[in-house]
Amino acid sequence: MKPYDFVVIGSGIAGLTFALKAAKHGSVAVITKRKGADSNTAWAQGGIACVTSDEDSFELHVADTLEAGAGLCDEAAVRTIVMEGPTRVSELVEIGLHFDDREIGGHREPDLGREGGHSKRRVLHVQDVTGLEIEKTLLRELERARQVELLEHHMAVDLITAGKLGFATEDRCLGVYILNERTGEVETIRTDRLVLATGGCGKVYLYTTNPDIATGDGVAMAWRAGAVIANMEFIQFHPTCLFHPLAKSFLISEAIRGEGGILRNDRGEDFMEQYHPQRSLAPRDIVARAIDAEMKRSGSKCVFLDITHRSPEFLKERFPHIYETCLRFGVDMAKQPIPVVPAAHYQCGGVKTDVNGATSLPGLYAIGEVASTGLHGANRLASNSLLEGLVMAHRACDASLREQPTSHAARAIALPEWESGDVQIVDELVVIYHNWDEIRRLMWDYVGIVRTEKRLQRASARLRNLQREIREFYWNFKVSVDLLELRNLATVAALIVDSALSRKESRGLHFTLDYPALSDERFRRDTLISRT
Ligand code: SIN
């Protein structure tokens, strides 16, 4: 396969934004394992947190982000991302995205949403389908762009690095092996600038708000290539996912609580009163833990989100997607409270990067949810992630253009083709599906909202066994998407558990009954892991 100046893996807001900018400077391949629009971005309901109103300020947005991050944000990264947000958002508007607005004092102003942890209304949105509209806008632009190839149904297998090939040059990323799902062949792509924009890892948990693609591919590949991974213990659980046996992964946006929605327990009580002064709009970690506690206390299978005091007209106009979807499952949110449960939602850690998206491995960049820039710290402020993906894509593109090209020695290295040997096709798919289910269930039961050392140890032991079995599969059978996703899921699960075990305190999203307090001296630092 031909070389590209830039290779981007992933087609959400970060990957597509990078590709559009990079295509002005060279050839770009966007690799995506399903269709172009299959990304976490397309599922984002809330919107983009961005300072646009006179009543708001960068200082307030920075302060809210730092407060949510529980002492682990990188303040310089927070400032950069918050302050570059408005410019990047206006570029989205220039290419055709129209955020909701409303008439105020004779002129139109953005209709800003509110979510937990924000001291001001600052969330730009398109009804409750912001991510989908962004995705469509960017894909439309990509179709028009020259020098970009969108390779759908191609899945990255592993990064190719000088170190792994045994060359005595500086270690750096040289390319990537890609499984072409249509032919079943693994192709070799060479590039000097490889960008991971693969999103998160929600599918590592039994219950998640994420789409099926969220299997932690970027973190797993970067870890295998020797890059530094940070803060994987901080998995954000969204408090409100629709509770219905047939409604797989359907998010009920926090924006509903921003518009006055109240969480109630099975007795109809506004139970958040007992947990936090901001009640239903308290920071997400607190709300998710409170729901978990209420459900455990009462033995009920869910709690309820009540927005019946708002008019049906308002609900249909502001939340058409949620309204229609709930109705399809027999819940009229204008008349009855919505049954909800918490579910895994966002990976706050990831591949460690600087504020330009550069990882510890030269030639490798990470942007969007796969990356750990320092914006989120121990807990992400709602709707900061689309903002991060947008800003970091631009910064990473600029940085990659400034980067020195690979040395002559590295360029002289011929990349070996993928060797399949005479490996067989996996005959018993049931083993893959069984292992997949086992990982997701054990992560939910042992590494969920509330953790203990004993449960984490138990998860660790099980995962080691599963990883051994999966390694055997990987070497003895022809690779397939299912097998690759399982391998990545197991790797990421183990990284989450190892990171959680090393943090002997409760901070942000990591809450353990064995160390319920915050320990400032020892643990006010990132959890860093690398294979090397
Ligand atoms: C939501 O709409 O509740 C999700 C927003 C986010 O996770 O940032």
Side-chain angles (χ1 to χ4, degrees):
M1 189 178 250
K2 67 179 188 193
Y4 293 88
D5 295 316
F6 306 87
V7 170
V8 181
I9 306 177
S11 56
I13 187 171
L16 295 180
T17 303
F18 184 101
L20 285 170
K21 185 160 177 161
K24 297 187 180 124
H25 304 276
S27 59
V28 185
V30 178
I31 313 285
T32 191
K33 63 182 178 175
R34 310 272 200 278
K35 300 281 288 172
D38 287 321
S39 64
N40 282 329
T41 296
W43 284 37
Q45 296 179 355
I48 305 188
C50 184
V51 176
T52 56
S53 124
D54 292 344
E55 284 163 30
D56 199 2
S57 70
F58 290 138
E59 280 314 312
L60 286 173
H61 191 176
V62 167
D64 292 346
T65 303
L66 296 177
E67 169 77 20
L72 285 197
C73 295
D74 174 340
E75 188 168 338
V78 174
R79 284 190 182 280
T80 302
I81 292 168
V82 163
M83 292 172 71
E84 292 184 9
T87 309
R88 298 306 165 210
V89 166
S90 60
E91 288 165 0
L92 268 185
V93 173
E94 276 160 30
I95 60 168
L97 188 73
H98 181 73
F99 290 108
D100 288 2
D101 54 13
R102 63 195 172 116
E103 181 90 21
I104 299 178
H107 62 282
R108 304 222 48 98
E109 285 200 1
D111 176 37
L112 298 173
R114 160 169 264 171
E115 292 180 38
H118 287 276
S119 56
K120 294 284 173 196
R121 282 189 173 265
R122 67 166 68 98
V123 182
L124 294 162
H125 62 92
V126 184
Q127 294 178 319
D128 56 355
V129 285
T130 313
L132 188 62
E133 290 303 314
I134 291 174
E135 189 72 26
K136 283 196 221 157
T137 306
L138 293 172
L139 282 171
R140 213 167 36 232
E141 281 297 292
L142 203 79
E143 266 173 29
R144 293 197 203 123
R146 288 174 34 218
Q147 302 205 82
V148 187
E149 276 177 67
L150 176 63
L151 300 173
E152 295 180 321
H153 299 287
H154 282 68
M155 176 166 181
V157 178
D158 257 324
L159 304 178
I160 306 171
T161 61
K164 268 209 223 156
L165 296 179
F167 287 89
T169 58
E170 57 151 5
D171 194 12
R172 64 168 292 124
C173 184
L174 299 171
V176 59
Y177 290 118
I178 302 287
L179 170 65
N180 179 335
E181 294 167 37
R182 297 215 162 99
T183 62
E185 299 304 316
V186 176
E187 298 161 1
T188 309
I189 298 188
R190 176 166 210 133
T191 186
D192 276 352
R193 304 172 185 97
L194 195 132
V195 182
L196 296 173
T198 48
C201 67
K203 295 301 281 191
V204 88
Y205 286 94
L206 190 58
Y207 303 111
T208 174
T209 62
N210 292 185
D212 289 345
I213 48 116
T215 51
D217 305 333
V219 167
M221 281 190 293
W223 182 79
R224 287 196 290 271
V228 174
I229 309 295
N231 292 346
M232 287 300 289
E233 66 273 40
F234 300 117
I235 300 292
Q236 186 169 67
F237 289 81
H238 196 290
T240 58
C241 187
L242 179 62
F243 177 69
H244 188 285
L246 301 178
K248 185 179 157 201
S249 312
F250 188 69
L251 177 71
I252 304 293
S253 177
E254 192 158 306
I256 292 193
R257 279 175 282 137
E259 298 299 343
I262 297 168
L263 285 163
R264 300 192 186 280
N265 60 20
D266 57 342
R267 294 199 288 254
E269 295 158 350
D270 173 358
F271 61 88
M272 281 306 301
E273 271 176 351
Q274 305 156 44
Y275 293 91
H276 196 273
Q278 284 171 275
R279 295 158 59 166
S280 290
L281 260 196
R284 262 184 210 176
D285 54 325
I286 293 167
V287 181
R289 274 201 300 280
I291 295 178
D292 187 65
E294 283 297 309
M295 284 167 52
K296 287 202 169 103
R297 182 197 53 70
S298 66
S300 58
K301 290 198 162 64
C302 63
V303 295
F304 299 89
L305 181 57
D306 186 358
I307 183 109
T308 52
H309 52 285
R310 300 300 302 254
S311 73
E313 293 70 36
F314 169 78
L315 296 176
K316 284 181 205 168
E317 170 68 24
R318 175 66 178 87
F319 303 111
H321 180 47
I322 297 174
Y323 186 89
E324 284 302 322
T325 308
C326 285
L327 210 54
R328 256 195 293 126
F329 290 106
V331 179
D332 182 346
M333 64 192 268
K335 294 195 180 130
Q336 66 195 104
I338 310 167
V340 290
V341 281
H345 183 60
Y346 197 87
Q347 165 196 303
C348 291
V351 186
K352 174 98 181 129
T353 72
D354 64 12
V355 77
N356 294 318
T359 70
S360 60
L361 186 66
L364 180 68
Y365 293 81
I367 50 178
E369 187 172 350
V370 66
S372 174
T373 58
L375 174 69
H376 309 310
N379 186 16
R380 179 184 65 110
L381 186 66
S383 288
N384 262 358
S385 38
L386 292 177
L387 178 77
E388 183 188 43
L390 201 55
V391 170
M392 291 305 296
H394 282 270
R395 296 188 66 86
C397 186
D398 289 344
S400 72
L401 289 168
R402 289 194 298 270
E403 198 192 329
Q404 292 291 326
T406 42
S407 65
H408 286 296
R411 247 175 289 155
I413 299 173
L415 302 190
E417 294 300 317
W418 178 261
E419 276 186 44
S420 308
D422 57 356
V423 287
Q424 326 142 43
I425 293 175
V426 178
D427 51 353
E428 296 215 312
L429 275 180
V430 66
V431 183
I432 291 187
Y433 298 142
H434 176 90
N435 286 352
W436 174 285
D437 286 344
E438 190 172 340
I439 292 172
R440 298 185 67 205
R441 183 165 286 283
L442 82 86
M443 290 298 287
W444 184 259
D445 288 342
Y446 298 156
V447 198
I449 298 171
V450 176
R451 301 164 178 178
T452 67
E453 289 287 291
K454 206 162 146 196
R455 288 185 212 154
L456 290 175
Q457 294 288 3
R458 201 166 271 165
S460 173
R462 297 263 173 99
L463 282 168
R464 301 298 161 212
N465 284 338
L466 284 162
Q467 279 187 294
R468 244 191 320 275
E469 200 170 305
I470 293 164
R471 248 193 315 271
E472 234 170 75
F473 263 113
Y474 180 74
W475 291 113
N476 293 331
F477 293 96
K478 226 170 145 62
V479 292
S480 64
V481 171
D482 287 337
L483 181 53
L484 293 175
E485 287 185 337
L486 173 67
R487 175 181 179 235
N488 291 339
L489 217 58
T491 301
V492 170
L495 290 171
I496 295 171
V497 173
D498 289 349
S499 306
L501 274 168
S502 72
R503 186 169 287 282
K504 309 288 185 202
E505 65 161 355
S506 290
R507 181 186 294 272
L509 300 162
H510 174 68
F511 183 80
T512 162
L513 293 173
D514 294 307
Y515 304 97
L518 190 78
S519 147
D520 257 330
E521 329 75 66
R522 279 181 61 209
F523 289 105
R524 197 177 171 129
R525 54 160 177 77
D526 290 334
T527 306
L528 302 178
I529 311 190
S530 83
R531 206 175 181 180
T532 46

